[in-house]
């Protein structure tokens, strides 16, 4: 069970990184500055053409972070339980 929880952590982190890259690429297509490209989840929706893609990437990022954090908690509790 601990291995399954650790696998979920890795998948959650990989999904968060992938959605971060999608959002960054979407912002880069919209002639944004480099700080907006790096910090795109915290900026407003200033790009009219790509708002739907940015919203989907933002939701996917938050969901993947939540999965990774909860799987880390589960893995920690399961490893304590097995001792």
């Amino acid at each position: 069970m601990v291995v399954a929880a650790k696998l979920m952590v890795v998948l959650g982190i990989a999904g968060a990184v992938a959605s971060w890259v999608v959002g960054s690429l979407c912002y880069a297509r919209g002639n944004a500055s480099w700080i907006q490209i790096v910090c795109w989840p915290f900026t407003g929706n200033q790009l009219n053409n790509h708002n739907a893609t940015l919203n989907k990437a933002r939701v996917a990022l938050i969901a993947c972070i939540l999965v990774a954090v909860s799987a880390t908690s589960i893995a920690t509790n399961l490893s304590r339980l097995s001792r």
Side-chain angles (χ1 to χ4, degrees):
M1 291 299 286
V2 175
V3 175
K6 287 182 181 178
L7 179 67
M8 289 300 295
V9 170
V10 171
L11 289 175
I13 291 171
V17 169
S19 62
W20 188 281
V21 169
V22 167
S24 295
L25 290 175
C26 188
Y27 249 94
R29 283 189 279 164
N31 295 330
S33 67
W34 69 272
I35 194 73
Q36 286 178 326
I37 293 171
V38 173
C39 300
W40 67 267
F42 308 111
T43 60
N45 287 339
Q46 299 170 354
L47 302 175
N48 293 332
N49 297 337
H50 305 291
N51 281 342
T53 306
L54 284 174
N55 288 338
K56 290 174 190 173
R58 190 173 286 136
V59 169
L61 177 72
I62 292 170
C64 289
I65 289 173
L66 285 173
V67 167
V69 168
S70 63
T72 302
S73 174
I74 291 169
T76 303
N77 288 334
L78 287 174
S79 68
R80 287 182 189 166
L81 202 68
S82 65
R83 288 189 224 163

